[in-house]
Amino acid sequence: MRNGQSIRRYELIFVVSVTVLYVVRRLLEEVDRIDGLVGSAAGNGVAPATFWRHLGSYDHTLHTNVPLIAGACLLLGAWYVLHQLAAPALQRQPDDPRAWLYAVLAGVMILTAVFIYHYMRLYVRYQHDESGRVIGLAVYSLYRKRLVLADAIGVGIILTAYEAAFGYYTFLARRIAGESEGHFRIVSFLLLMGVSVLATSFALTGNLPPVLWRAGLRDGLLMLGLVLEILFLQAYIYRYVLPALKAPQLSGLFVHIAAVLLLAVTATTILWGASTNFYYYASDTIISFTAVVVVGAVTSAYLRRVLTRENQLLQTQVSAKSAELASLRAQINPHFLFNALNSLYATALKENSEKTADGIQKLGDMMRFMLQENNRDRIPLNKEVEYLRNYIELQRMRIDPTHDIDIRVTIQEPVRAIYLAPMMLIPFVENAFKHGISLRQPSWIYITLTLDDTRLYFKVHNSRPVRSTDPASADRHDPEEDRSGVGLDNVRKRLDLIYPGRHQLAIQQSDQDYFVSLTLVYW
């Protein structure tokens, strides 16, 4: 249940079963009701020829069974399209045009279902004279264009609210289940059982009114629609308006604010129109509801941003402390290691092994960086570049010059003090040396670091040689092959936490090469 997959596995069967149960019960009840009307009219002395003449235009199959079954099937299809196709795609990528196409399709199916139901549905009731005495039966229709549109909006609100509730449940499942799996299973089971019992009870005993926007449901649908307005507007404000506040040009901000106001006025006007069957009495209420929606959406978006920042700060601190703890655990008597390296460095110089001494010195500088600089929140860019150069040089030293390996490094030195989080660049280089070097095939690595006034551009492009499965192959003895490294997933998480909205990471790969492009806004 952690990600909703367990629910989705049985959800379709349950929803279809409940719908079929409700439709079958309503069809049987309609037969009993009409039989009761006919019997009651005959009992009041109405001649059979009279009420059968009144019922001449009524066909029970065509005017009751078909609209109810067709409407239910189309609504089930609309729910499936919205729930299984549109909503998951919108959660992954809100700007996905195919997802919005699915949402539009669901809306068209809802409108078609409501139209077929009201257009074909005929009702039977008693016909009375002036004194109130039953004189026969009358057939009438509720079909109105305004009514079709209003009820379609009401059904859309119900399905959207269901989808929002399901999305919130899966969100809580992901956040809570990992921390308290046992308790969450119990609470989730009780919640789902309660919803299942309520849905089944309604299918067995409840009835939807012929018109949704009646006194019993009108206020509930209206409040639910306003809540959904606030929910969607706050998402728009959080995604577009709040980031535009920091933009150097305010033109984009004004455009987004105008869009928010236009969306709020339009949605509230349509919602209020549906609740009044589009007669718009007391239209001044639209202004009040629009103000409530805008204030609620702005407040919700701001609170969401505050909570998100606090959560990101907490995650960053936890990540930093975890990294610091891991670093401390790795520091097994660092003074001893530095003393040993110094001794090896002096011995290499005495033996005229300058290349060995240079390698030992670079290794010592890298260890000093890991022990001292790596635990800070921000470090100078030149420190990161120095570590990067030392790492690349050590990699060059381990490669035999006879191997066909091309390593090209272009690094632009910063002309002013630039700070960034440590270990943001080296994981991509480690990954390149780990997977891009072959000791028996031609291979290459190209590393580029450039800067402008506000951004850092870092690119790593490497080959992807085919690794041999032969145990005797030279690649199987490559010491880089078994290194775990920091991991690109870890870098992605750190970028999201430390540089939210201030970085772009693009990774492209094929069978022949692997390309990483990172852009950081460091001002």
Side-chain angles (χ1 to χ4, degrees), residues 396 403-408 436-437 442-446 461 463:
R396 289 182 187 273
H403 293 148
D404 189 2
I405 300 175
D406 185 14
I407 301 175
R408 302 180 189 178
I437 293 297
S443 52
W444 43 267
I445 296 177
Y446 304 146
H461 193 192
S463 57

Side-chain angles (χ1 to χ4, degrees), residues 159-435:
L159 293 184
T160 305
Y162 174 88
E163 193 57 45
F166 184 86
Y168 186 67
Y169 169 80
T170 54
F171 169 76
L172 290 180
R174 290 192 300 268
R175 297 293 298 272
I176 299 175
E179 301 176 1
S180 180
E181 182 71 25
H183 293 88
F184 176 77
R185 286 183 177 274
I186 296 174
V187 174
S188 179
F189 175 79
L190 294 176
L191 176 63
L192 295 178
M193 283 299 298
V195 173
S196 301
V197 170
L198 288 176
T200 306
S201 300
F202 180 82
L204 292 173
T205 60
N207 290 319
L208 288 172
V211 178
L212 281 181
W213 296 93
R214 288 273 178 92
L217 287 178
R218 178 179 179 273
D219 293 340
L221 285 176
L222 185 59
M223 292 300 104
L224 190 59
L226 292 174
V227 170
L228 291 176
E229 275 191 63
I230 294 175
L231 180 64
F232 286 108
L233 279 180
Q234 71 83 23
Y236 183 90
I237 294 172
Y238 179 82
R239 182 178 176 87
Y240 297 105
V241 178
L242 295 182
L245 291 173
K246 292 185 176 182
Q249 297 181 353
L250 297 180
S251 58
L253 175 62
F254 293 145
V255 170
H256 289 308
I257 292 177
V260 169
L261 295 177
L262 180 61
L263 290 172
V265 172
T266 303
T268 306
T269 302
I270 294 175
L271 182 62
W272 181 247
S275 68
T276 61
N277 207 18
F278 293 99
Y279 286 104
Y280 289 107
Y281 59 83
S283 57
D284 56 334
T285 308
I286 297 176
I287 300 176
S288 302
F289 281 166
T290 301
V292 171
V293 167
V294 172
V295 171
V298 171
T299 304
S300 301
Y302 178 75
L303 291 177
R304 179 183 174 186
R305 183 176 184 180
V306 171
L307 294 176
T308 301
R309 281 186 171 181
E310 291 181 354
N311 186 39
Q312 289 178 344
L313 179 61
L314 180 60
Q315 291 185 24
T316 304
Q317 292 175 349
V318 171
S319 177
K321 291 301 181 182
S322 299
E324 182 178 356
L325 179 60
S327 178
L328 289 174
R329 289 175 176 173
Q331 296 177 25
I332 306 174
N333 199 347
H335 294 292
F336 168 78
L337 294 178
F338 279 122
N339 290 334
L341 286 175
N342 289 333
S343 298
L344 292 174
Y345 177 73
T347 302
L349 288 179
K350 290 179 180 179
E351 296 177 353
N352 294 324
S353 302
E354 295 183 1
K355 187 175 181 180
T356 303
D358 185 54
I360 294 173
Q361 184 179 15
K362 293 183 184 303
L363 179 60
D365 292 340
M366 291 177 62
M367 291 183 59
R368 186 173 291 104
F369 175 87
M370 293 294 295
L371 296 175
Q372 297 177 1
E373 306 290 345
N374 192 36
N375 293 326
R376 300 180 182 179
D377 294 334
R378 296 289 188 274
I379 63 170
L381 176 60
N382 56 5
K383 293 286 188 180
E384 182 88 0
V385 169
E386 180 184 0
Y387 180 87
L388 194 64
R389 290 186 183 278
N390 288 333
Y391 178 84
I392 295 172
E393 290 303 317
L394 282 177
Q395 292 292 341
R396 289 182 187 273
M397 293 177 63
R398 76 178 186 88
I399 296 173
D400 194 319
T402 60
H403 293 148
D404 189 2
I405 300 175
D406 185 14
I407 301 175
R408 302 180 189 178
V409 181
T410 303
I411 296 179
Q412 178 183 343
E413 297 293 341
V415 296
R416 61 184 177 88
I418 297 174
Y419 290 84
L420 77 163
M423 300 299 291
M424 281 297 181
L425 308 180
I426 191 63
F428 301 108
V429 179
E430 286 184 342
N431 187 72
F433 277 98
K434 179 180 178 181
H435 300 289

Side-chain angles (χ1 to χ4, degrees), residues 121-157:
R121 184 78 161 93
L122 294 181
Y123 300 88
V124 179
R125 62 174 174 81
Y126 289 119
Q127 187 178 12
H128 302 83
D129 59 11
E130 295 180 354
S131 62
R133 186 172 61 89
V134 177
I135 60 174
L137 299 176
V139 177
Y140 67 98
S141 172
L142 294 176
Y143 172 72
R144 303 290 187 276
K145 294 179 181 178
R146 296 171 183 262
L147 177 62
V148 170
L149 183 57
D151 276 8
I153 293 173
V155 173
I157 290 174

